[in-house]
């Protein structure tokens, strides 16, 4: 089995609602859990960023599902590589809200005052997501926000 | 502007015919030219092997079209990475047929007599694409064979 890591960024589609997120995460977690994929999904004010690690075929298939998901558009690959071990100590999908990406955090992680995914290299994207995913308090708060919003119907993606 | 390379293998759909290749190639070449993407499509007796390189957003965009194409299935990544120089800068999409995957080449690159795409790791796949990109004679031969076969209706993709 070839273990791989893949990272991407994309935009929410025009019809995306924040209330969709709970369902997206639930489906994604179920699939990833079944196929031994661990992943981190982050939201910025404008984009989603996603990194996943797992068997090559499963990661490729999961990527295909993202491409077919009408919640997302303009999917751009940061990179994909074979790895000897996982870097992210993540569950099926750990979620990080935009709150995590403060000016201070972004400066420290990638030397940018704001998070602009299209300007990040693959290495910087990994560094940023890894750093954010290690903040357990942020993960907990982000998940709580999703749970709270599940019954709302915000258009904005920022939480 | 970040340039990347992307490589994957996939299986032809059950309904795929060899003669479907011509329109696939024609539209792919038009799209690749439009988005400044170059690449190489290899046909083994069982799989497609595809290598693309160009601006990150363009390659991702082209790949999103590829993944939605019902003429193939089970798309599996070899890898995606940032590049300084292109491997095959002059061809929007070069074609190499089964004969290019000679016993001599396969033995030299990965110690097997035949090409089995799913067994190749990222490094072996990239070495193979590098070797194929230099085989101009086989590319020309493959194009000629395709032209000659256009009036036929082979089911087999190998030639």
């Amino acid at each position: 089995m070839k273990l791989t890591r893949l990272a991407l960024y994309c935009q929410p589609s025009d019809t995306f609602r924040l209330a969709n997120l709970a369902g997206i995460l639930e489906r994604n977690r179920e699939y990833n859990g079944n196929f031994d994929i661990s992943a981190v999904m982050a939201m910025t004010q404008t984009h989603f960023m996603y990194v996943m690690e797992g068997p090559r075929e499963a990661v490729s298939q999961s990527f295909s599902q993202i491409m077919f998901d009408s919640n997302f558009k303009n999917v751009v690959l940061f990179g994909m590589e074979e790895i000897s071990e996982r870097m992210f100590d993540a569950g099926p999908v750990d979620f990080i809200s935009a709150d995590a990406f403060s000016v201070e955090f972004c400066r420290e992680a990638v030397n940018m005052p704001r998070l602009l995914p299209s300007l990040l290299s693959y290495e910087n994207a990994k560094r940023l997501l890894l750093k954010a995913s290690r903040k357990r308090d942020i993960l907990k708060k982000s998940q709580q926000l999703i749970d709270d919003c599940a019954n709302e119907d915000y258009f904005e993606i920022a939480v | 502007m970040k340039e990347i390379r992307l490589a994957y293998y996939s299986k032809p759909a059950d309904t795929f015919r060899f003669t479907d290749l011509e329109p696939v190639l024609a539209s792919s070449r038009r799209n690749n030219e439009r988005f400044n993407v170059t690449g190489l499509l290899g046909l083994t007796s069982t799989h497609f092997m595809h290598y693309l390189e160009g601006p990150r957003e363009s390659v991702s965009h082209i790949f999103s079209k590829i993944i939605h194409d019902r003429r193939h299935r089970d798309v599996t990544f070899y890898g995606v990475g940032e590049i300084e120089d292109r491997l095959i800068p002059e061809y929007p999409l070069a074609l190499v047929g089964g004969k290019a995957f000679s016993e001599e080449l396969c033995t030299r690159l990965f110690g097997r007599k035949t090409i089995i795409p799913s067994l190749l790791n990222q490094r072996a796949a990239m070495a193979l694409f590098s070797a194929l990109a230099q085989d101009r004679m086989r590319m020309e031969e493959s194009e000629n064979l395709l032209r000659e076969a256009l009036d036929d209706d082979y089911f087999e993709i190998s030639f």
Side-chain angles (χ1 to χ4, degrees), chain B residues 21-32:
Chain B
L21 258 183
E22 199 276 335
V24 170
L25 284 170
S27 65
S28 298
R29 285 169 175 160
R30 271 197 308 275
N31 269 328
N32 286 0

Side-chain angles (χ1 to χ4, degrees), chain A residues 131-148:
Chain A
K131 194 173 167 61
S133 69
R134 284 179 174 162
K135 289 184 176 290
R136 294 291 154 186
D137 55 329
I138 291 281
L139 291 181
K140 200 173 170 187
K141 201 171 142 191
S142 301
Q143 188 56 47
Q144 188 59 51
L145 274 166
I146 293 298
D147 295 341
D148 290 346

Side-chain angles (χ1 to χ4, degrees), chain B residues 24-152:
Chain B
V24 170
L25 284 170
S27 65
S28 298
R29 285 169 175 160
R30 271 197 308 275
N31 269 328
N32 286 0
E33 270 189 304
R34 189 173 157 214
F35 291 99
N36 188 26
V37 169
T38 52
L40 186 150
L41 179 66
L43 306 173
T44 74
S45 55
T46 53
H47 287 79
F48 297 112
M49 293 180 68
H50 197 170
Y51 174 90
L52 294 161
E53 56 190 6
R56 186 166 74 179
E57 292 75 13
S58 301
V59 170
S60 297
H61 174 71
I62 297 278
F63 187 65
S64 75
K65 288 183 177 299
I66 290 170
I67 218 163
H68 285 92
D69 192 326
R70 291 179 181 276
R71 287 170 289 201
H72 69 158
R73 61 191 166 97
D74 298 343
V75 174
T76 305
F77 282 111
Y78 284 123
V80 183
E82 288 161 15
I83 52 170
E84 295 293 325
D85 300 303
R86 293 197 189 194
L87 183 65
I88 186 159
E90 68 272 44
Y91 290 102
L93 186 58
L95 174 70
V96 284
K99 283 183 184 169
F101 301 92
S102 63
E103 187 176 324
E104 183 275 326
L105 180 70
C106 293
T107 306
R108 175 159 56 86
L109 291 182
F110 27 86
R112 290 175 191 276
K113 288 181 178 177
T114 55
I115 172 85
I116 302 174
S118 62
L119 293 185
L120 299 186
N121 62 18
Q122 185 174 4
R123 183 183 295 183
M126 291 306 170
L128 180 66
F129 282 118
S130 293
L132 294 174
Q134 290 164 26
D135 198 345
R136 304 300 150 109
M137 193 184 79
R138 291 289 186 206
M139 287 180 197
E140 204 172 310
E141 205 177 274
S142 302
E143 292 289 344
N144 288 338
L145 270 167
L146 180 60
R147 274 195 289 273
E148 287 168 15
L150 270 179
D151 292 332
D152 290 316

Side-chain angles (χ1 to χ4, degrees), chain A residues 22-36:
Chain A
I24 291 170
L25 286 169
E26 189 183 341
R27 285 192 298 277
N28 209 225
R29 282 172 177 155
E30 187 183 353
Y31 179 87
N32 287 358
N34 286 338
F35 292 97
D36 192 26

Side-chain angles (χ1 to χ4, degrees), chain A residues 60-78:
Chain A
S60 297
Q61 189 58 37
S62 180
F63 177 77
S64 296
Q65 289 181 357
I66 291 169
M67 297 292 262
F68 279 98
D69 191 328
S70 60
N71 286 295
F72 310 122
K73 65 176 183 177
N74 298 334
V75 178
V76 178
L77 282 153
F78 282 121

